Amino acid sequence: MTIPETLSEPILSTTTTEDIETLDHVQEIEAVIGSLAVDQKVMVGHSDEGYLWKFKYGSVEVFVQLTGINDEDTLTVWSFVLPLPAKNEAQLFRKLLEMNWLTTFEARFGIVDDHVVILSTRTVAELSPGEISRAITIVATLADENDEALRAEFGESKLNNG
């Protein structure tokens, strides 16, 4: 998916009921991102596969993907917090599992492309503006609150140093 440097203007050229629902979700996502984006620079891409946004919040980049408006489509929000491999991975993974239980609300830690991420995903079925806002805010906040501490404690393993 190609991501231009700025938000696109018109999203839809013809309007159907499905388009209105998509536009509502897109507008809500863009409103939330606009309130959180540190430098107000937001990148967005749109294709047949949906929408993808990227913005900076504190010390992290946050990604938001909306695959469509059908009940089985998804809203996924994620942020990379630590590259892998890391020092003391067994201890790191235990800590992340404990944090998943105690502190991540509807989000969770996971592993994607050799990175620890914090993510939230939900189907679009009955998706409300409050749920959109909460998912984006929780992921952005937890990633920003935890990335530096996790990097300081678990940083790069000797495998990455040569």
Side-chain angles (χ1 to χ4, degrees):
M1 181 177 292
T2 304
I3 303 175
E5 287 295 318
T6 59
L7 285 172
S8 58
E9 285 299 316
I11 295 169
L12 304 169
S13 57
T14 59
T15 305
T16 66
T17 304
E18 274 191 3
D19 291 340
I20 291 170
E21 290 178 34
T22 300
L23 186 57
D24 289 346
H25 290 329
V26 168
Q27 288 177 331
E28 182 62 30
I29 290 166
E30 289 180 352
V32 172
I33 290 172
S35 72
L36 294 174
V38 171
D39 55 9
Q40 295 301 306
K41 284 181 69 177
V42 179
M43 293 192 290
V44 63
H46 176 243
S47 72
D48 292 339
E49 297 169 2
Y51 295 83
L52 179 65
W53 293 264
K54 180 175 99 169
F55 68 97
K56 183 127 172 105
Y57 181 79
S59 59
V60 297
E61 288 185 330
V62 180
F63 298 85
V64 180
Q65 182 178 36
L66 180 65
T67 62
I69 56 114
N70 294 323
D71 285 354
E72 65 276 359
D73 286 320
T74 59
L75 169 69
T76 304
V77 184
W78 73 95
S79 181
F80 297 98
V81 294
L82 179 69
L84 294 174
K87 294 185 288 192
N88 304 317
E89 283 191 356
Q91 183 182 358
L92 167 65
F93 297 152
R94 179 181 179 97
K95 179 178 184 125
L96 295 176
L97 285 171
E98 289 171 352
M99 291 171 73
N100 277 349
W101 173 251
L102 297 172
T103 62
T104 58
F105 306 101
E106 294 86 24
R108 62 198 176 280
F109 286 98
I111 298 173
V112 175
D113 296 331
D114 291 327
H115 282 82
V116 173
V117 297
I118 182 103
L119 70 132
S120 177
T121 189
R122 185 206 188 287
T123 60
V124 174
E126 300 179 25
L127 182 64
S128 73
E131 291 168 314
I132 292 170
S133 177
R134 184 167 171 85
I136 296 169
T137 303
I138 285 173
V139 169
T141 302
L142 288 173
D144 185 50
E145 289 176 353
N146 289 289
D147 70 315
E148 291 170 348
L150 289 171
R151 288 174 192 214
E153 185 173 354
F154 299 101
E156 290 187 30
S157 77
K158 292 178 182 168
L159 295 173
N160 279 344
N161 292 332

